[in-house]
Amino acid sequence: PWALAARDGTLRLAARGGGDGPPVMYSAVDTTRTGPVVEVEALTVASVRARLGTGAVALAKLDVEGVEFDVLPGLLALDPPPDQILVEFHHRFPGLGTGRLRAALADLRAAGYRLAWLSATGREFAFVRTG
């Protein structure tokens, strides 16, 4: 029932895709808006972890439709950080671009992660913490 975000609060999500049918997804990055905007409760990774009462995160999977660049620093700040991170980067969305992708990859390297797998589309990445 929550959206991941860089800070706790409210996040506006725009419906995207779906053509004549229901929306395929909702995104905080409004690129090809085709439907209504909804407001949802937004939590940081640390807040979700606290709310659920969980301990260490072994595996984190992010497919958050463009917000991954804002959420990733909070994920890397967890103590301890996840052993593995799977993320779909939406650098193809207008306003995001490869510069944000390069910065995120540099942050992951600096945090001790190495690339373990990359999809053929160049969108999905798997990282393993080595340090």
Side-chain angles (χ1 to χ4, degrees):
W2 317 301
L4 280 178
R7 54 190 78 61
D8 294 337
T10 302
L11 193 61
R12 292 175 53 84
L13 301 174
R16 296 187 57 238
D20 294 332
V24 173
M25 69 187 80
Y26 285 83
S27 175
V29 180
D30 190 5
T31 57
T32 57
R33 185 172 166 217
T34 59
V37 173
V38 297
E39 289 190 2
V40 297
E41 181 180 10
L43 298 173
T44 64
V45 172
S47 293
V48 169
R49 192 170 131 191
R51 192 171 286 190
L52 295 176
T54 61
V57 176
L59 172 70
K61 179 180 182 274
L62 293 178
D63 184 0
V64 290
E65 304 308 318
V67 184
E68 62 276 1
F69 297 106
D70 299 327
V71 170
L72 194 56
L75 189 62
L76 295 177
L78 291 178
D79 186 23
D83 295 325
Q84 298 177 55
I85 298 175
L86 311 176
V87 59
E88 179 180 359
F89 285 110
H90 294 82
H91 52 287
R92 66 193 182 279
F93 285 4
L96 296 179
T98 57
R100 299 233 20 216
L101 175 61
R102 282 192 295 273
L105 296 175
D107 290 345
L108 283 155
R109 274 192 301 276
Y113 289 88
R114 68 171 177 79
L115 181 64
W117 179 81
L118 175 62
S119 71
T121 65
R123 297 175 184 168
E124 297 88 12
F125 294 68
F127 299 94
V128 176
R129 187 165 55 97
T130 58

